[in-house]
Amino acid sequence: MPAGVSAGGRAGARLDGRRALVTGVDRGVGRAAALALADAGATVVAAYRAEGASVEDLRVRLKERGGMHHLVRADVTDPDEVTQLLDLCRRQLSGLDVLVNADTASGSARLAALTVAEWRRVLDGTLTGMFLVTREALPLLGTGASVVNLTSAAALRGRPARAHDLAAKAGVLGLTRALARELGPDGIRVNAVATGRIALDPADAAGAGPGGPADAATGGRADATPGPESAAPPTRPGPANAPQVPASAPQGHWLGSATQGHWVGTAMQGFGPAVAPPAALAPAPGSTPERGPAPGAADAHPPVALGRPGTPEEVAAAVLFLAGDLARCVTGETLTVDGGM
């Protein structure tokens, strides 16, 4: 690394004197983004949904870094609480230079079992929350300000049993592009970071915060009290003796496309409840196989080029880039951080 260049990057990556609001800090990506912004010199207001080990960890870490940072409990789907959150930003910071929307919801349900209540929960938790926070923040954002919205790279490809989740995440991309066009004349940039699989932080793996496992992209929340359609893994056609995962089993995920992938049995952030690796199915006459090789079989094409999940800190580095002057001519873009899926 060249002399004078720290791990935080060049001078253009510094955010000294900037004022930032980060939502969703009770999950790995949001928490890492808040810490990265503080490390870069910004004063951070960090919003979370519920107290937990992850929030206490962030409280300690922000205090260690010094500065006038604030931790605030707020439900971004509640218009009144969002108004109160932005009023605090106005009183404490007098304005905002950076807004990071990292508070989202996630869920998993087959379309036939998807209820209207679950659809609305995920759409509101992701898309409505970003709308409310960004709208209320607008009077505080001046020329040169940056808005960064977190979403899922899966929205670019699709996944079964995630219709409501990925509709919301894809909606974030549309919101981002529309606002980039609308706010660009005022000198406000709006971009998105779309992430793939992100390894769970220890506090997240322990189930800190509401809803259990979070979405890989955004720290999205699963329903804390799921209905029947999300309480158990979605069923798939296959042999009657297909492997099942008991409720107490370690969480794992099928990684890859519908026809290629492998089973990973470690805790990962982002694919909803643990599901058994899909059983290989014999193709119907004239059709192609619905599923790929059985668990443990060698992959012809590894689903992730880098061969590993990302980390919250790596996602935060992308957020930091978009928030700072190094990206001052970047708007309406989606920066994908997925290890090469």
Side-chain angles (χ1 to χ4, degrees), residues 173-191:
L173 301 178
L175 177 68
T176 297
R177 294 178 184 129
L179 291 181
R181 288 284 187 174
E182 181 175 336
L183 304 181
D186 297 322
I188 300 171
R189 297 180 294 109
V190 186
N191 294 286

Side-chain angles (χ1 to χ4, degrees), residues 120-146:
R120 288 174 175 166
R121 181 189 68 81
V122 173
L123 268 290
D124 285 348
T126 297
L127 204 49
T128 303
M130 286 193 188
F131 152 67
L132 290 173
V133 173
T134 307
R135 185 187 65 177
E136 291 300 313
L138 189 57
L140 302 182
L141 298 169
T143 300
S146 173

Side-chain angles (χ1 to χ4, degrees), residues 24 74 109 183 195 221 228 295:
L183 304 181
T195 74
R221 304 161 202 288

Side-chain angles (χ1 to χ4, degrees), residues 29 150 193 195 198 216-217 310-320 337:
V29 170
L150 272 293
V193 174
T195 74
I198 304 300
T311 68
E313 291 73 24
E314 289 169 328
V315 179
V319 172
L320 189 63
V337 184

Side-chain angles (χ1 to χ4, degrees), residues 46-69:
Y48 62 93
R49 293 276 193 102
E51 293 287 350
S54 59
V55 174
E56 186 56 36
D57 173 75
L58 178 60
R59 182 175 286 112
V60 170
R61 294 192 187 192
L62 287 176
K63 185 175 181 180
E64 291 173 349
R65 283 157 172 76
M68 299 297 293
H69 307 298

Side-chain angles (χ1 to χ4, degrees), residues 62-211:
L62 287 176
K63 185 175 181 180
E64 291 173 349
R65 283 157 172 76
M68 299 297 293
H69 307 298
H70 303 272
L71 267 171
V72 185
R73 184 171 179 172
D75 179 354
V76 299
T77 68
D78 185 320
D80 291 337
E81 292 195 23
V82 171
T83 297
Q84 294 171 17
L85 172 63
L86 272 299
D87 282 345
L88 182 141
C89 292
R90 184 179 294 104
R91 294 194 308 271
Q92 298 294 333
L93 305 180
S94 300
L96 287 172
D97 304 293
V98 179
L99 168 61
V100 180
N101 286 307
D103 193 339
T104 65
S106 64
S108 177
R110 291 274 175 176
L111 184 61
L114 182 58
T115 65
V116 172
E118 171 67 0
W119 172 274
R120 288 174 175 166
R121 181 189 68 81
V122 173
L123 268 290
D124 285 348
T126 297
L127 204 49
T128 303
M130 286 193 188
F131 152 67
L132 290 173
V133 173
T134 307
R135 185 187 65 177
E136 291 300 313
L138 189 57
L140 302 182
L141 298 169
T143 300
S146 173
V147 178
V148 183
N149 298 323
L150 272 293
T151 188
S152 172
L156 303 171
R157 292 179 289 271
R159 286 190 182 278
R162 299 281 295 279
H164 57 326
D165 188 10
L166 298 187
K169 301 306 194 306
V172 172
L173 301 178
L175 177 68
T176 297
R177 294 178 184 129
L179 291 181
R181 288 284 187 174
E182 181 175 336
L183 304 181
D186 297 322
I188 300 171
R189 297 180 294 109
V190 186
N191 294 286
V193 174
T195 74
R197 296 184 296 280
I198 304 300
L200 280 170
D201 279 358
D204 294 331

